[in-house]
Amino acid sequence: MRVERLRKRGHYDRETIDAILDAGLICHVGFVHERAPIVIPTLYWREGDHVYLHGSAVSRMLDTARRSPVCVTVTHIDALVLTRSAFHHSVNYRSVVLLGHPEEIPDPAAKEAHLRTFMEGLMPGRWDGLRPVKPKELKATRLLHMPIDEASAKIRDYGPADDKADFNWPSWGGLIPVETRIGTPQPDEHVRDPGLKPPRVAKFSPG
């Protein structure tokens, strides 16, 4: 799968693709259901050469995806790009598009192991302190994985592209950074032990 428009922004190496996937948490899954195109946002994660999707065992998206090809996209917005003409305004971004045929992982032990990997990648050390997963919970969860075979990345990471004739126009130009960050944890009413500390969220946290 090749980038057709603005080809200089296209990237196809796995290092670039994996880095963009690993930096995200939400993907959008495009599929066809009853001859209608549908796009659903959902959590995802990557392990090695596969992207994983999970949800309810009765999820329409997951049920359709295990039987037909899907398109999975991940996008990060890094900056608003302001120029001196409306036409040249843009955004700096990193995106990945994946095409493939997801397969279901039915084995309960395998499902639990992959779900553990997902949570530990997001919040290291969290899994072992939780109430153990119940068999009925694993049964109620559908897990799919899709190989990263047909994939492309697209990146814009530079400043404004004004027309030379507009350089002296009296409007501000430049970049306005856009960041995703972790805020201050807010305990619910059931946290009564002051010794209980919130987990460290590895994603979106410096270091």
Side-chain angles (χ1 to χ4, degrees):
M1 179 175 54
R2 313 296 289 184
V3 173
E4 295 298 327
R5 186 174 178 278
L6 299 173
R7 295 182 181 181
K8 69 178 182 179
R9 298 183 186 176
H11 300 264
Y12 307 97
D13 61 287
R14 276 294 303 274
E15 182 178 2
T16 298
I17 290 168
D18 289 352
I20 295 172
L21 292 174
D22 292 348
L25 185 60
I26 296 289
C27 70
H28 286 80
V29 180
F31 59 100
V32 176
H33 178 72
E34 296 181 352
R35 298 194 297 178
I38 300 175
V39 177
I40 300 291
T42 188
L43 295 168
Y44 78 94
W45 70 98
R46 181 185 71 87
E47 291 183 47
D49 295 329
H50 289 79
V51 165
Y52 288 77
L53 308 170
H54 81 296
S56 169
V58 297
S59 162
R60 176 178 60 180
M61 176 192 72
L62 296 177
D63 183 53
T64 302
R66 70 192 177 102
R67 295 182 283 106
S68 59
V70 300
C71 176
V72 176
T73 64
V74 174
T75 303
H76 308 288
I77 301 297
D78 296 319
L80 304 178
V81 182
L82 278 60
T83 62
R84 290 154 187 87
S85 69
F87 182 80
H88 289 303
H89 277 61
S90 188
V91 294
N92 279 352
Y93 64 90
R94 293 161 289 139
S95 65
V96 164
V97 175
L98 304 170
L99 300 178
H101 297 255
E103 295 183 359
E104 185 167 6
I105 299 176
D107 179 66
K111 281 200 285 189
E112 182 173 356
H114 288 297
L115 292 170
R116 177 192 177 104
T117 297
F118 171 49
M119 183 168 288
E120 287 297 298
L122 182 61
M123 294 172 286
R126 176 73 172 166
W127 185 272
D128 287 338
L130 299 175
R131 187 260 294 158
V133 177
K134 297 177 181 179
K136 68 177 182 180
E137 293 173 330
L138 291 172
K139 186 176 181 180
T141 301
R142 175 163 279 157
L143 177 64
L144 306 183
H145 67 153
M146 187 173 86
I148 307 173
D149 289 336
E150 193 170 353
S152 63
K154 197 173 182 181
I155 300 173
R156 188 194 194 280
D157 58 359
Y158 49 91
D162 271 309
D163 291 334
K164 188 175 181 180
D166 293 335
F167 286 163
N168 293 323
W169 190 268
S171 290
W172 189 91
L175 301 177
I176 299 178
V178 176
E179 299 178 352
T180 299
R181 64 180 182 84
I182 296 298
T184 302
Q186 301 177 13
D188 66 18
E189 67 274 18
H190 303 294
V191 178
R192 300 184 178 91
D193 181 355
L196 289 175
K197 302 297 182 182
R200 181 180 69 87
V201 180
K203 245 181 221 307
F204 316 125
S205 297

